Amino acid sequence: MAIQIPTRLLFIDGEWREPVLKKRIPIINPASEEIIGSVPAATAEDVELAVEAARRALARNKGRDWASASGAVRAKYLRAIAAKITERKSELAKLEAIDCGKPLDEAAWDVDDVAGCFEYYADLAEGLDAQQKASISLPMEQFKSHVLKEPIGVVGLITPWNYPLLMATWKVAPALAAGCAAILKPSELASVTCLELAAVCREVGLPPGVLNILTGLGHEAGAPLASHPHVDKIAFTGSTITGSKIMTAAAQLVKPVSLELGGKSPIVVFDDVDIDKAAEWTAFGIFWTNGQICSATSRLIIHENIAAEFLDRLVKWIKNIKISDPLEEGCRLGPVVSGGQYEKILKFISTAKSEGATVLSGGARPEHLKKGFFIEPTIITDVTTSMQIWREEVFGPVLCVKTFSSEDEALELANDTQYGLGAAVISKDLERCERISKALQAGIVWINCSQPCFCQAPWGGNKRSGFGRELGKWGLDNYLSVKQVTQYVSDEPWGWYKSPSKL
């Protein structure tokens, strides 16, 4: 049975609203290349309405409705959202799969993670109440001091298309837990499930204006949100180029930003590994989510002693990956998200060949799939460190390979990148893994695995992969402002100035 895409409007001030300019954007199913629906296209006029709604939500009832309500009040809403998401898991997973192309099993896992993330931040919201007025030890007994944690205000959340609902949740859940009011702008390439999140928020009675959801193009909706004088912070996940533009816009207003940007993450495999286990993790690290992960371990750095045997085995593993329509049972690689991405990835592969690299496996459309933006899982060898394929993020199912002979050489290759999001090391020598973990220039390191992610642990990068951390308690801190309150408690006058003579 065909899945119906609900026709939604923008979500502003707790209501569905037609975009001011009444424009819509077609939704293209990446597996069939067919138009299957449309989403509203917000512009600067709609951003203005959403910002006003968010400001009203924070000020309503002198803040008591949301911003200065107890964390327990906000937690109740977050748990209600989690429960509704779980209730609608099957439908949401299917919508995600046909909107962005990820295999249905992955999309279902994502929806579980979405509910788990809302639950986790509900717990943290409750915990905030106990942290208020935490006292500070001072060296002068005439004073006492404490700290208040307050919501940063109205936040703009700009999210990508590779994990549409989950990446939105990584920002929405902590922002709401902190007491902020938020405006979410998901990617125009995949925003169907974010509009369903709006429907869930309406259903659970989230106060109007606390979360506003604007679908639309980056330059028409994202840019005016980033530069809006009444938006107090921007949190962005996406490309380094767009992140730089957002940072520039925010800088004009000295507005804080947190950025989770691109990556070209290494996976270092030593010669003492179980080859099958290491090969599967290597494949998972790059071909999960159709290769479209900012943290994908897309550079394999393999010990020369086992390189030939390892690559031979890795090719066998990837030939076994089922490439199909994402809704087909057992699908493990779906299409990339759009025609634009498809062409871009194929161009990366052809440039690698023209620069002298070898396509060991894959590199083209799978023969059995005549329609859709499908690309075979691809392995590229004979790579030099000056090649584009080594230096630039592909954001697709493409792995490039280099060999090493010593630990020092492996580290030099691993850190030879402008990015610093993730990195993986696979070896049975755990002391070596510990050494390598410390030396890798990345915000996330995986030992004997690649890509696991938990909402309890911090997520974010170094170098051009951005700054700030999402998830865990660090994710909540992103949306809190710390206020110091200090009181003079002595009965004695301060006595710094000479007292005027008494008459």
Side-chain angles (χ1 to χ4, degrees), residues 155-162 167-168 170-172 174-175 183-188 216-219 221-223 225-227 231-250 255-263 294 393 395 419 421 459-461 464-470 475 478-479:
V155 293
L157 314 174
I158 303 175
T159 56
W161 44 258
N162 55 343
M167 292 293 104
W170 280 19
K171 291 175 171 40
V172 169
I183 299 140
L184 170 65
K185 207 301 279 181
S187 165
E188 66 276 10
L217 301 172
H219 64 281
L225 181 61
S227 60
V231 172
D232 301 301
K233 175 186 172 125
I234 294 288
F236 170 77
T237 297
S239 74
T240 300
I241 291 168
T242 307
S244 178
K245 287 179 185 166
I246 284 171
M247 207 170 161
T248 302
K255 178 185 301 189
V257 293
S258 45
L259 304 174
E260 202 260 78
L261 308 175
C294 47
E393 182 176 41
F395 223 68
Y419 296 110
L421 184 53
W459 184 274
R464 288 197 200 172
S465 290
F467 51 81
R469 291 294 179 266
E470 295 197 296
N478 262 336
Y479 300 99

